[in-house]
Structures are given as C-alpha cells and as structure tokens.
Amino acid sequence: MKQEIRLKVNGQAYTFEVEPWQTLLEVLRENLKLIKTKEGCGVGECGSCAVIMNRKAVNSCLVLAVDADGKEILTAEGLAEDVEYHPFNEALIGQGSMRASSEPPGSKSQHEFFTFCHVCPGHCSVKAIVEDGKVVDIVPDRESGLPNELCPVKKGRFSIPEVLYHPDRLKYPQKRVGARGEGKWERISWDEALNTIAQKLLTLKETYGPESVAFGLGEPKGLEFAFAQRLASVFGTPNVVTPGWCCGIPSGMASTLTYGWNCVPDEEHPPRLMVLWATNNNHTSGGIRRETFERAIDSGAKLIVVDPRKIDVASFSDLWIRLRPGSDGALALGLLKVIVEEKLYDKEFVDGWCIGLDALEKELKTFSMKKVEEVTWVSEEKIREFARLYASIKPATIQWGNALDTSTTAFPGAKAVAILRAITGNLNIPGGEMFLTPAPYLRPGKFFLLSKFPRDRERAVGGEFKLAVRSAFIPPHAFVNSVLTGQPYRIRAGLFLLTNPILSYPDSKKTFEAFMKLDFTVVSELFMTPTAALADILLPAAWGMEHEELGYWPGWYEEIRAYPKLIDPPGEAWADTKWLNELAKRLGLGEYFWESDEEALDDMLKPSGFTYEDMKRKRVLHSKREYKKHDYRTPSGKVEIYSKTASDFGYSPLPYWKEVSILPRLTDEYPLLMTNAKEDVYMLTGYKHVASLRNMKPEPLAEMHPETAKKMGLKEGELIYIETEKGKIMQRLALDDTLDPRIVVTSFGWWFPEERSTLYGWAKSNINVLTRSEPPYDPGIGTVDLRGIPCKVYSAGG
C-alpha cells in the first residue's frame, strides 16, 4: 500500500506516493532524475549514493523513502553547477576509509602519480597515492581534464591496492609435479621455465608443425596481447583464441562492411537523443563516458534504454524497451520497417549516399509488425514509438553493448543497427556518431607482423570462419574440438595469458576435458585459478603499475596511454611482455623482438615522434575527432545497405528477417530463458579474491520475477539449480518484479578461490557449464548463443 511522503530536496518541496520498500535513492533517481546520485554497491560501502539528510551524511540506498518523510535532502545536484559529482560524494566518506593502509593519511611520506585505472575498458584517469613503496589509494584525477569519473562501485579503487599486495599472488615460476589439477607444484627459476617451454614448443613444431601450438588471450591491458600475437605470427601458428569471437568484432565488422569504419558517439557535442542498447553507462564506459552521458541528460537529451532488465539508467529513461534476450536483431529490423515504410529516414542522404534501399524495402515487406512483437516480446506500439523518436530527434546516438555480439545472429543484427544510424542521417554530424582518425602510433596489425607472416586460413582450425582468421583469431570451440577430436588435426599445446578459459569459453565441461588432454600447457596469472591449476608451467605475472607499459585498448577510442611503473612486482613476477620477449629469443626468433621488452615501447610510438619517456609526461595520445562527411571506405564509396563484400565472409548481403527471427523455443521441459548481465562489482571472471569486492557481492545471484518463483515454489534467498540441456549449476535466488516472467538472469564468471578441493568450484556456479559449443555458429566468426538459452529452475534444497 502506497504512502504519501514529503521531502525537501535541494531546497525544493515535493510530495510523492511511495511503496513501503522503495528506497530514498530510487525516489531521487526515478522521480527527480538526479543522476549524479548513483546506484552503486547497494550495501553502503562505495558511497556513490551518499546524500546529506537533515545535515547528516547517509547512504540513500539504505534509507527507506518512508523513513525520509519530512526530511531535508541535499544532493550533488544541489551544489553550484560547476561542482563535479566526485568531490561531494567522496567528501561524505571518512578520510582515509578507502585506503589500503591502517596508517592515517599524512603519517608517512607520500608521493602522488598520475596514471590510469587498468581494471576495465574505461581506463579512467586516476592519481595513485604511494607510501613507502606501496600503492595505498587510487583517487579520481581532477587536474588533467581527462575522463575521471570512476564507476560507482569503485572496483578499480578497491581492487588495485588489494590485488597488488594480496597474499595469494603468484610470485615465482612453478612446474607441475603431480597429476594435472592435483595442486602439487615445485618452484623453479625463470631460466628453467623458459627453457622448458622453448624446448617443448620447438619439438612440437618440428614434429607436428607450428599449428599444433595454440595461444589463448584475453582482453588487453597493455602490450602483452600484442606481444603474444606477434610471437604467434613469427612462430607460425594461426591458432590464437581471443575474445573477438564474442566481443567487438561482430558489431565492429558489421559497421565496417556498411560504411567502411567503426563509429563512436561524439563526446564533444551532446546529442538530443541517446539510445543505450544493452549497455549501462552508470557502471561501464563503453563509448559514451559517464561525464558525457550526464552532460547530455542535464542539457535535456531524451533517453531510450534497450535491456531485458530495468537497469538503473532505465529508471529515469523516457522509454524502456524490455526485449526478449537474443532478439536484438529482430527489434532492429522492426525499427527499420517503421522508419522506411513511414518515410522517416533522411531522404536526401539516402538518395545520394546509400546503395541498397530498394532491396531493404523489399525485405521489410516479408514480415509484419505483429510478428516483430511476437519475436521480441515488445509491443508494436512501443516499437513504433522508439522508431519515431529516433528518426525525428537529431542528433541522436546509439551506444550498443556486448550483448549484441553474443549470438549466432550477431552480425545481421548489428548490421541492422548500423543501417539505422546511417539512414537517419546521424553519421558524422555534431552530437551523432563519428569516424575517428587514430592517434599516431604503430597499429596493432602491424605490430602483430600480419603482413610479413599472414595467418594461413587453410592451416587454421576453424578456418571456415573467414572473418575470424582475417581478424587474427579463431573461436574457442575450434580449439577445443581440435584437442578432443583431432580434427582437422590435434592441437597439442597452449600458452594462455589474460584469460581463464575454464570459466570464459562456452561449454565449460568440454573445455575442461580439452585442457586435461593437452600435452603441454603454460599459464601466466596473478592468482591460482581453475585454468592455472591445470598448467604444466605456471608463470607469475606482474600487473599494472608494476612495470612500464603502453595501453591501446579499447580499440574503439583509437588512442594510446602511458602506464608508468610505480612499484616493484612481488617476488619474481614478470610482465607478460618480458617473458614473451625472452621466450622468442630461446625459440630462435629474437630478430623479430627486442633486447629488452621496454624497447618496444619506443617502437610503438615512432609514428608520433615521441619516446616513451616523452609519453610518460604527455600521458595520452588522442585520436583525431572530425566529421568525415561522406568518407565511406567501402567498395562503392557509399553506405552499403546491401553489401556484396559481406557475402565473401559467409554472411547475407542484407540483414534478413528469416535469420534474426529464428530463436530457441520454450518447452514444457525448459520453460524459461536464461540470460546474463555484466557484473557491476567484478570485471569478467576476475578478482573473486578481493575482499572489498566480495563484501559487496559475496556470491552469484540468479534473478527471477516473483510470480514465476511463486509458481515454482521457490523463495527469495534459497539456492536454486539452473539447468539446460548441457548441465546444471547453482546460484542464489533474488526476486525482481520488473523482469519478464519468462526469463532468469544469471551471474557470469563465478568460481570460488576458497574451494581448492573442487578445483576452485569451477563447475558449481559457472554459467558456461550451461552453454553449448556445437552448431549453429555465426558463419564468419563462429559465435554461439550465450544469451536467451532455454532452461529450467528448481530448488537446490538450501
């Protein structure tokens, strides 16, 4: 039963009707759109939701709205307009309370260094506080003018000092002396480790060919990804597994094959309409920075959010599109149908600079809006409202997230979105989306030496995925199937860094079997993980701030940053670039590498005319932001709605309804759809060791609608099984009445460092136990469905 409350917020009186369970934070964000008061950890640890209530600092996420009745509230928005969000919220946190030191601030000699957070792709500019050779805090850099608004949960600020000095860090090279996975290790020297690796790889190369060795890489932090790709090139193996199969490449290549470039939102001029499609700018920086997003909202921009969950930005959006997981391509085609058939597109632009509209018009007549509604679970009325808003308000921008890359129809779905941007005239206009000229540094493909040592598609496992091999990777299932079946030949060894495949590859049980069958495995890691536990040689990795480094990722920013060394790594930990450089020499490939890995930093910067020492002072080389009007690097020189080039990679030239509308069917046995969302607190599969992060989210949660749970006899807080045709896992039930009753939202990347006896609980709550690695696949890249998977849910009895 709702209750009336009265609040005075930033000097203005308001009356609201609220539910008994609503928090003060929800009222401030949903009713008043006070977006600088952030939804963060939800347990009062991060301070991002802090406000002043009757002259006392409180966490608004922990205050019920009914308990705030009659109170006077001051938020960040109530301060002078030129005051940022950070100083206000952080001023409400006890001095030194976030420091990784028991010593009070100022009690020891202190040094401050400007650098960048290296935990997620946002790479926020920070100031590291170093005392007695230890990093004790990471604070926003408010002096340089670089993007600095840390994520609300402050996962970088919390995790970096803890990881740097964590007692469980790997400190010395080790070799396995017991059975694989038994946990018996012997400490060895770096010389022994590298000589052993080199000898094994050379023997395999001579006996079975260089393709018998694979590399497994994760998201780049610095140049380690580039060093590993370079080593793979000169060694001669085309078999390099990267996240490209499910992250960035499907959507990026769809844009490139449509207008010759990838594009990013214009950060300098606010749009009048923003579409956040499967991304949450409050918690991630995937294109539109938090600062840019807030400026746009403050200037009156409209907001459309596309997500199966009512994420916090959806709470203050003008339109929330709650679509079926995996139906993004069908929704995009539905939007195109409305815009094209109602002639809402930019006719002058389309007539002069697009080819293929006639073919698109013909395709859009093959399905009805009623069919779009059935497939997407979004009403025709809402789809039409979405289309009309996007087509009529300019400039507009669509910021898409990773979910669009994680299905077998990722490419046609992303191409449909790319067409939306183009035909509405939102490319290369102020406030729209723009093509960037990269900063002057050595391009990654050149660093990989792909021109001199091109990847041989005929020798690659998964060579049928033409776009993948051209992009210098293979999908993980191609690697796993090769190890297990010997087809087309058997991969016998793997070197893995920046990655935890037992958790991150689809079909984890099959991945585990493949790792158990490999003849030789090398893993470089910060901590012991389920994957590291299966290694033959285990190498201790130095982390960010522990070595000199350049970072160029994420690639869509087209910039490069300097990460200076601030402290020494623990024990004998080495930077990945260092051991890869030394390994290359032992493999007889030293002519393609350097005497010292740090020499590569200067070579990377040669096009700019700067040295690495110059770069440490400059900090970042930005891409050139310009409006490249009609600079379309396609065969026709125009926007290719219909792309013949796409056919060369196994794709249809147009996004076809018959492709994007075929989704898994719900059955009596599997009546729900499983999906997942990026963790707010963690970065992918990492940092489960970090106490401050585990305090915020101690265990994996599976979210369902209360009515669905009630029908199944389930209660909030109990442990439940989520089961698909591939297997079952266990997570704790949380209820959310904003979800569609037909879905369950699971937590990704979970394992348990404390559970050593079960190989760190890799199969307990890991959602990739539930995903498949069998066909169908994306034809060019090999992506499988990672969302929208039929499942059933039942009590685990706890």
Side-chain angles (χ1 to χ4, degrees), residues 18 22 94 201 226 298 374 462 494 500 565 680 716 724 733:
V18 300
Q22 276 187 279
L201 297 191
D298 287 345
E374 290 173 8
N500 189 359
K565 179 180 178 179
D680 297 338
E716 185 164 30
T724 70
L733 178 62

Side-chain angles (χ1 to χ4, degrees), residues 159-223:
S159 66
I160 289 174
E162 285 195 54
V163 170
L164 290 174
Y165 308 108
H166 201 287
D168 292 340
R169 278 285 296 274
L170 298 175
K171 299 180 178 67
Y172 306 99
Q174 301 174 75
K175 67 178 180 181
R176 177 173 62 84
V177 293
R180 181 163 285 165
E182 188 179 1
K184 293 183 178 180
W185 302 93
E186 179 182 310
R187 176 178 166 181
I188 58 176
S189 68
W190 271 103
D191 276 339
E192 182 179 346
L194 293 174
N195 288 337
T196 301
I197 298 169
Q199 181 181 11
K200 188 67 176 179
L201 297 191
L202 288 171
T203 299
L204 289 170
K205 182 177 183 178
E206 183 178 348
T207 307
Y208 302 105
E211 62 271 20
S212 65
V213 177
F215 285 73
L217 310 178
E219 182 178 280
K221 300 296 183 184
L223 293 185

Side-chain angles (χ1 to χ4, degrees), residues 249-261:
I249 299 297
S251 54
M253 291 308 299
S255 294
T256 301
L257 293 179
T258 303
Y259 26 76
W261 301 75

Side-chain angles (χ1 to χ4, degrees), residues 258-287:
T258 303
Y259 26 76
W261 301 75
N262 200 353
C263 62
V264 298
D266 181 4
E267 300 264 3
E268 312 235 335
H269 302 89
R272 293 183 58 227
L273 170 69
M274 291 182 292
V275 179
L276 300 186
W277 197 319
T279 187
N280 183 348
N281 285 69
N282 186 24
H283 286 277
T284 60
S285 286

Side-chain angles (χ1 to χ4, degrees), residues 312-330:
D312 63 317
V313 288
S315 66
F316 55 82
S317 65
D318 297 279
L319 182 64
W320 171 39
I321 303 296
R322 190 181 72 174
L323 80 169
R324 170 183 171 147
S327 67
D328 304 86

